Amino acid sequence: MPYFTSPVDGARLHLVDYGPADGPVIVFVNSLYFGTEMWEYQMLPLANEGHRCVGFDRRGHGRSDDVWDGFDLDTLADDLQGLLDHLDLRDVTLVGHSVGTAEIVRCLTRHGSERVARVALVAGMAPGPARSANHPGGVDPELVLAGIEAFRRDRPAFFADGARAFFALDRPGNELSEAYVETMVRRCLGATARAGVAIGELIAALDVAPELAAVDLPVLVVHGTHDASGPIELTGRRAAALAPNATLEVYEDAGHGLFATHADRLTADLRKFAAGE
């Protein structure tokens, strides 16, 4: 059945498992608001090529349980580890987008890397965009909290108004159909208001810099120059500098939604990275 239960509180979480069972394993961890559908341009071609591509809908997202609790980073990381344990996955390439990168880092901190071979941080929020003791040059956390308040007031408008910046549609080459963008806006509304607010507050206080510095696996950092959600200087470049064995791939003109606007390039980079090249 395409579900497993959280090892923390038994929340039922929806999973997808594409490709051959004996293929090299890539596990995808989603952005805030999205379910596994966000990875269609990566998961489907890679599964067709023989990779085992696995993902799951975070609690409060997609087809997983609508719950009140469990949106702290420890529980989210434990849910990810629960997926790896449930399917007994090994030699895994973990690929996270946005806040999913922080869940990956915390998962490695709490559970170790016995099942994981390498990590890709795509348009990541890790180590944290907001000002903190480890990041005095970060954005004012109050600005992040102001965005959460706009989300509370009118979720549909929040997503619709932010779509162009999310995909950096004003930059050359970032061409997506209006139908695709509208569909992704509707997908965002599949996440509960509770999940959106709670994880937004998590991002406002996010600081996993010391943990990222302790990740001793190969790390691929992919980030766009025009990422309005997680500006590259505050997130991607810092992540690449902190992780001891990191490689930074900068996508010119790409925004936060580079999984769609730069789909073929991202898929090729993940294919190469998962092969250990």
Side-chain angles (χ1 to χ4, degrees):
M1 295 296 290
Y3 290 92
F4 71 105
T5 57
S6 166
V8 179
D9 57 9
R12 194 176 74 145
L13 306 175
H14 183 269
L15 68 89
V16 296
D17 191 350
Y18 295 159
D22 60 350
V25 182
I26 306 177
V27 173
F28 293 84
V29 185
N30 312 328
S31 173
L32 175 58
Y33 311 126
F34 291 115
T36 53
E37 73 281 343
M38 67 168 285
W39 297 109
E40 66 175 295
Y41 299 127
Q42 287 75 49
M43 293 185 77
L44 298 184
L46 290 170
N48 280 329
E49 294 168 11
H51 292 83
R52 183 179 183 183
C53 294
V54 177
F56 74 109
D57 293 347
R58 182 186 292 106
R59 57 178 59 224
H61 290 63
R63 289 165 284 185
S64 290
D65 278 354
D66 179 357
V67 295
W68 179 256
D69 290 319
F71 296 106
D72 59 285
L73 193 55
D74 283 352
T75 298
L76 296 173
D78 290 351
D79 286 348
L80 171 56
Q81 184 66 32
L83 172 69
L84 303 182
D85 292 343
H86 173 72
L87 295 177
D88 193 22
L89 301 176
R90 300 185 182 275
D91 198 29
V92 171
T93 299
L94 280 179
V95 180
H97 181 269
S98 192
V99 74
T101 62
E103 292 168 75
I104 287 173
V105 172
R106 181 58 57 83
C107 182
L108 294 172
T109 300
R110 286 174 65 79
H111 300 283
S113 58
E114 179 182 355
R115 295 184 179 275
V116 181
R118 60 194 63 83
V119 171
L121 309 179
V122 179
M125 286 296 178
R131 187 169 59 234
S132 67
N134 290 312
H135 189 206
V139 300
D140 186 344
E142 291 301 321
L143 294 178
V144 182
L145 296 175
I148 298 170
E149 187 55 38
F151 171 89
R152 281 194 181 101
R153 287 195 302 269
D154 191 337
R155 283 195 301 147
F158 176 85
F159 293 129
D161 293 347
R164 290 195 64 82
F166 182 86
F167 291 110
L169 295 179
D170 61 330
R171 302 304 301 172
N174 295 349
E175 298 175 0
L176 297 173
S177 71
E178 183 177 340
Y180 177 84
V181 174
E182 290 178 350
T183 296
M184 295 307 280
V185 168
R186 289 196 298 272
R187 290 286 193 178
C188 286
L189 290 165
T192 67
R194 166 61 178 166
V197 169
I199 298 178
E201 292 171 344
L202 184 157
I203 292 171
L206 183 65
D207 180 9
V208 294
E211 296 167 68
L212 186 52
V215 173
D216 59 358
L217 301 172
V219 175
L220 174 65
V221 179
V222 175
H223 220 95
T225 58
H226 287 73
D227 190 326
S229 302
I232 187 171
E233 300 298 335
L234 304 182
T235 53
R237 292 197 190 279
R238 289 182 63 229
L242 283 163
N245 192 13
T247 299
L248 174 63
E249 289 288 340
V250 177
Y251 288 16
E252 190 67 32
D253 292 316
H256 207 52
L258 55 78
F259 56 87
T261 58
H262 293 66
D264 291 343
R265 180 177 175 183
L266 178 59
T267 301
D269 283 343
L270 293 178
R271 180 187 298 115
K272 181 179 178 181
F273 183 62
E277 299 177 15

